[in-house]
Amino acid sequence: MKPDLRVDVTKNSIFLDRELSQLMFNRRVLAQAEDKALPLLERLRYLCIASSNLDEFFEVRVASLLAAASVDGALSEHPALVATLSRISNECHDLVAHQYEILNQEVLPQLQAKGVHLVRHNERNDAQRAWVKEYFEREVRPLLTPIGLDPAHPFPQVVNKSLNFIVALSGKDAFGRGTAIAIVKAPRVLPRVIRLPDHLSKSGGVSFCLLSSIIHAHISDLFAGREVLAYSQFRVTRDSDLWVDEDEVKNLRQALKGELQGRQFGTSVRLEVAKNCPPELSQFLLDQFGLDQSRLYAVNGPVNLVRLTELIDHVNQPSLRFEPFFPGFAPKNPGQDIFGALKKQDILLHHPYQSFQTVIDFIRSAAHDPAVVAIKQTIYRTGMNSDLMDSLITAARQGKEVTVIVELKARFDEEANINWADRLEQAGAQVVYGVVGLKTHAKLALVIRREEGELRFYAHLGTGNYHPTTTKLYTDFGLLTCHPGLAIEVNEVFIHLTSLTKPHKLEHLWLAPFALQNEIIKAIRNEARIARAGRPGRIIVKINALVDESVIRALYAASKDGVKIDLIVRGACTLRPGVPGLSDNIRVRSIIGRFLEHSRIYYFRNDLAHDVMLASADWMSRNLFRRIEVAFPVLDRTLKRRVIAEGLNPYLKDNNNSWELEADGQYQRRKPRAKQAAFSAQHYLMQALGTPSNESGD
């Protein structure tokens, strides 16, 4: 039975804590690592994902909270912030302990039973120790530079999230001085997971050891004539948000290049050490990094679990992984080009269930088509290798008008985007870096062809990035269209971004930061009006995060008017569902499965008009006011039904990978009821849209 939370709607208690809600998402990821029905290597991958998520949480969210206090006073002057950080600390320490418990008590022992061994020093036999010692002498020791700390050798700069060791020494050094502490940095060029030769593994198995374990085993060899009293691996996490004063800099790209170097040495926010690290050594490190005890994490294993993805990549046991999935393809008549197909009908793509290759072919065809005169595209994340970007470069070299809006401040993709901007400009493309103070997060591409003496517009609008890897792992929708209203408005958005002029009134697109929040609230209020008139009001939304207070208040009001509201929110959600008198008609669920749920869908029943909007934007203040975002309608009735049938209904039915949010902020996993079959939305879509392996061509 749900708790009866009667809250005062005028107070902030109607909102859940954003940071804790985000950490609850990590709880749900860890539950995947515990799921015995999943293949073992995939369970290990979920552990790595949870660790990576937590890294970013500290690098961005915790760092920003601490930075907010440093702007206008000491942390002690912000009691509310201190309380928030305390709650975060308690939850994070519990999360980390649970993470290593799953690793050590479940995943690693079960992998060992399947012949995959992660061999610690005290578990190695004589032959393995001999090989490890030879590897250390040949590959590791020549690259190590132990630093004994004294006035001439101060504490070294430690790179963000890098592997390091602190060593306590007895006696005196070669010069008769009592340097008691040394620091050893693990070489960043070396792999963190090393595979032992097959003849050193048990029959049919495979064995690995960690670089940290190899250095641990031979750390005393680095200090001849000294006794190593104690040592520990350690890792410091730093503030990794880049900041430049865009009003002051003349060249954003050059300014960011300089900032990227400094990211590795931002303000310290977390220290990780081995669980057996002596208190005096961990305190010494805390003092060096200016951290208090609450930000110390003593872990039972490697300080960077993300590195274990290297082990996953080196194990060739298909039974320990998900079965291969082969995406389907958009239907197209044989021999028909993409532009001919679009003249007949729009193409809706549902990734990763349908291949992203159709989008790549769209841009590639445009690059080589003599009738194409211009290509325009936004780039937020595209990765280091991209067929799309290569096609844009080809088009520019062939003399087509190529305009690319490159978002240089896409967090953790800045370097790749700067490199692509350089290459595009060298090829003759017009590169623009968006709008000062706003990130360009919209996913748009436009092709302009000259057909029978007139210009015709073809557009791609998407909910996800133009990234070759994430399109195989993230669920997203993309729409290819030559609908005059939509495509021309896409061009208006590009003109707005390059000229910085006010965009013309848009009939179809909802554009942030100008109109998106207003349009969302207007659509919510319209459903409330319909419900007050005695007709069914219905809202279904699928997004990654819901934290914008104005939108949440509008949803609360609609709920009180009788609108039935289902929210599918993967990550942070600060709305309290199911509170009597406030949100009785609102249900919130989160889907965690094989693929990362990433598509944004807004559905409003609107008296059977069934309005469907796809978008690049989550319902967060940053998306609605500090980014360029686009929501676009699906106008074709058949495709509209597809979005509802594929992107919404299966997720409402899911009782396998679905978690339901309670009013107190906790999530409960949905399970099949008596005599009810288990149903996974993702599994259903893989079967419905994928290609049988024998037809994939691979």
Side-chain angles (χ1 to χ4, degrees):
M1 187 174 178
K2 293 184 179 180
D4 184 5
L5 296 183
R6 299 191 182 279
V7 298
D8 184 345
V9 297
T10 65
K11 296 182 178 179
N12 287 336
S13 57
I14 65 173
F15 302 110
L16 295 169
D17 183 282
R18 173 182 172 174
E19 276 67 35
L20 293 183
S21 180
Q22 193 163 333
L23 290 172
M24 286 297 103
F25 168 62
N26 241 27
R27 287 277 183 193
R28 301 193 291 281
V29 175
L30 277 182
Q32 294 292 104
E34 292 180 282
D35 191 340
K36 294 176 173 56
L38 298 181
L40 277 170
L41 287 179
E42 304 300 344
R43 293 175 63 186
L44 178 57
R45 194 186 304 278
Y46 282 115
L47 276 177
C48 296
I49 291 170
S51 184
S52 177
N53 289 345
L54 208 53
D55 284 351
E56 185 171 343
F57 180 78
F58 275 95
E59 290 176 285
V60 179
R61 293 302 307 162
V62 174
S64 67
L65 290 173
L66 292 169
S70 67
V71 169
D72 57 351
L75 190 58
S76 59
E77 298 173 19
H78 298 75
L81 184 53
V82 170
T84 297
L85 288 168
S86 178
R87 290 194 299 270
I88 289 172
S89 176
N90 292 337
E91 178 63 22
C92 286
H93 277 89
D94 194 53
L95 267 171
V96 169
H98 189 41
Q99 210 172 330
Y100 284 89
E101 182 181 320
I102 297 169
L103 177 72
N104 294 316
Q105 296 183 16
E106 295 188 38
V107 174
L108 290 182
Q110 291 178 40
L111 280 173
Q112 185 170 338
K114 296 291 185 180
V116 179
H117 307 276
L118 186 62
V119 190
R120 297 180 174 90
H121 175 63
N122 59 3
E123 299 169 340
R124 294 174 199 143
N125 58 37
D126 290 343
Q128 290 171 333
R129 290 185 180 185
W131 185 90
V132 166
K133 181 172 179 59
E134 192 275 333
Y135 180 88
F136 174 80
E137 294 293 341
R138 184 183 75 249
E139 299 288 341
V140 182
R141 180 171 183 152
L143 301 180
L144 296 177
T145 307
I147 300 173
L149 302 186
D150 69 3
H153 301 82
F155 196 91
Q157 283 274 45
V158 173
V159 171
N160 181 39
K161 297 187 296 186
S162 62
L163 175 63
N164 307 273
F165 296 83
I166 183 170
V167 186
L169 301 166
S170 69
K172 298 185 181 297
D173 62 22
F175 303 96
R177 292 170 297 195
T179 52
I181 300 290
I183 301 296
V184 181
K185 297 182 180 182
R188 300 172 73 189
V189 296
L190 291 177
R192 267 32 183 182
V193 178
I194 296 95
R195 179 171 175 170
L196 274 63
D198 289 345
H199 72 272
L200 295 178
S201 294
K202 295 179 181 179
S203 178
V206 58
S207 295
F208 300 89
C209 59
L210 300 177
L211 177 64
S212 57
S213 174
I214 292 176
I215 295 176
H216 271 308
H218 299 283
I219 204 159
S220 60
D221 297 348
L222 301 173
F223 302 96
R226 305 289 298 276
E227 181 186 355
V228 172
L229 299 176
Y231 58 88
S232 174
Q233 57 180 311
F234 73 89
R235 185 175 79 135
V236 64
T237 309
R238 298 181 179 276
D239 182 345
S240 294
D241 223 5
L242 297 184
W243 185 87
V244 294
D245 188 341
E246 295 183 43
D247 293 326
E248 295 294 329
V249 300
K250 296 182 179 179
N251 187 317
L252 180 59
R253 184 170 64 188
Q254 293 301 322
L256 278 174
K257 281 183 177 179
E259 282 291 308
L260 279 171
Q261 302 300 318
R263 165 182 277 170
Q264 301 291 357
F265 304 107
T267 304
S268 305
V269 294
R270 174 182 61 168
L271 173 67
E272 295 163 283
V273 299
K275 70 169 186 175
N276 57 356
C277 179
E280 61 273 15
L281 291 187
S282 60
Q283 187 59 55
F284 177 83
L285 290 170
L286 288 171
D287 293 342
Q288 292 296 320
F289 296 120
L291 299 172
D292 59 46
Q293 280 286 337
S294 69
R295 282 180 268 162
L296 174 68
Y297 291 77
V299 302
N300 187 17
V303 292
N304 188 351
L305 288 187
V306 180
R307 293 291 194 170
L308 291 180
T309 54
E310 296 177 29
L311 183 151
I312 299 170
D313 295 338
H314 283 97
V315 175
N316 185 24
Q317 288 193 37
S319 63
L320 301 182
R321 302 177 185 276
F322 286 131
E323 290 185 9
F325 172 68
F326 303 97
F329 291 87
K332 186 165 69 77
N333 294 331
Q336 185 180 42
D337 68 86
I338 187 73
F339 302 111
L342 287 174
K343 287 175 187 174
K344 293 187 175 181
Q345 64 182 43
D346 290 353
I347 295 175
L348 180 74
L349 298 167
H350 192 178
H351 312 300
Y353 311 108
Q354 291 179 299
S355 175
F356 191 71
Q357 188 63 42
T358 303
V359 181
I360 295 173
D361 291 343
F362 172 64
I363 300 297
R364 181 182 290 152
S365 297
H368 293 281
D369 186 345
V372 169
V373 296
I375 305 174
K376 304 180 182 184
Q377 188 166 349
T378 61
I379 294 297
Y380 190 75
R381 300 190 193 280
T382 189
M384 301 301 288
N385 301 300
S386 171
D387 290 339
L388 277 175
M389 302 300 283
D390 289 337
S391 292
L392 292 173
I393 289 170
T394 298
R397 287 174 176 163
Q398 292 185 0
K400 301 183 190 301
E401 294 295 323
V402 176
T403 303
V404 185
I405 315 292
V406 179
E407 180 47 67
L408 294 183
K409 295 179 72 177
R411 187 179 292 131
F412 303 122
D413 274 67
E414 298 94 346
E415 185 175 2
N417 288 2
I418 287 171
N419 291 337
W420 281 120
D422 288 340
R423 290 183 59 187
L424 284 161
E425 283 191 339
Q426 290 168 10
Q430 176 65 57
V431 178
V432 179
Y433 307 132
V435 180
V436 170
L438 301 173
K439 285 187 179 182
T440 302
H441 195 246
K443 326 298 185 188
L444 305 172
L446 183 72
V447 171
I448 305 176
R449 297 181 88 230
R450 189 174 297 282
E451 300 175 1
E452 300 177 352
E454 295 184 350
L455 296 181
R456 186 154 187 172
F457 298 78
Y458 298 82
H460 173 264
L461 305 95
T463 68
N465 298 302
Y466 295 106
H467 193 293
T469 299
T470 60
T471 55
K472 298 175 183 177
L473 302 173
Y474 293 10
T475 69
D476 276 303
F477 277 98
L479 180 70
L480 286 161
T481 182
C482 64
H483 183 284
L486 278 178
I488 288 174
E489 288 191 6
V490 169
N491 193 43
E492 287 295 325
V493 173
F494 277 108
I495 292 172
H496 158 63
L497 291 174
T498 56
S499 69
L500 305 181
T501 55
K502 187 176 181 179
H504 290 170
K505 181 174 175 56
L506 303 175
E507 298 294 333
H508 297 288
L509 304 183
W510 296 355
L511 179 65
F514 302 101
L516 182 53
Q517 191 207 54
N518 285 340
E519 293 290 352
I520 291 168
I521 291 176
K522 190 195 318 184
I524 294 170
R525 288 174 175 168
N526 183 58
E527 292 300 313
R529 178 187 59 79
I530 291 170
R532 288 196 301 272
R535 302 189 301 277
R538 185 79 169 105
I539 298 171
I540 311 174
V541 176
K542 184 173 184 292
I543 47 180
N544 302 325
L546 171 58
V547 299
D548 184 79
E549 292 189 4
S550 295
V551 171
I552 292 174
R553 290 181 188 277
L555 290 169
Y556 284 154
S559 171
K560 286 191 281 189
D561 284 329
V563 179
K564 184 181 178 183
I565 302 170
D566 277 290
L567 305 174
I568 306 161
V569 186
R570 185 195 77 216
C573 176
T574 57
L575 177 147
R576 288 188 189 272
V579 177
L582 177 69
S583 54
D584 310 65
N585 292 310
I586 304 178
R587 293 181 68 187
V588 179
R589 69 200 75 200
S590 171
I591 307 293
I592 309 294
R594 173 171 178 169
F595 303 120
L596 182 79
E597 293 298 334
H598 193 255
S599 52
R600 292 94 166 186
I601 309 167
Y602 317 155
Y603 166 80
F604 306 94
R605 186 175 183 272
N606 193 15
D607 274 341
L608 296 179
H610 301 297
D611 297 335
V612 173
M613 302 292 292
L614 300 176
S616 60
D618 294 309
W619 288 3
M620 308 173 71
S621 297
R622 73 176 190 190
N623 296 85
L624 302 178
F625 294 109
R626 300 195 298 278
R627 291 186 173 186
I628 304 295
E629 303 273 17
V630 167
F632 55 95
V634 180
L635 301 174
D636 182 280
R637 290 184 180 180
T638 301
L639 299 186
K640 189 185 294 189
R641 285 195 291 269
R642 263 195 64 199
V643 173
I644 296 169
E646 296 173 18
L648 297 176
N649 289 343
Y651 293 95
L652 298 180
K653 185 180 175 183
D654 194 304
N655 58 17
N656 189 67
N657 295 319
S658 180
W659 296 74
E660 192 152 347
L661 176 61
E662 304 286 345
D664 62 359
Q666 299 299 312
Y667 284 80
Q668 298 297 326
R669 191 163 196 166
R670 292 185 68 195
K671 296 179 181 179
R673 295 172 184 168
K675 298 183 180 180
Q676 186 181 46
F679 179 82
S680 163
Q682 292 190 359
H683 183 68
Y684 163 76
L685 292 167
M686 289 168 68
Q687 290 186 317
L689 300 177
T691 301
S693 58
N694 60 354
E695 298 176 16
S696 67
D698 292 342

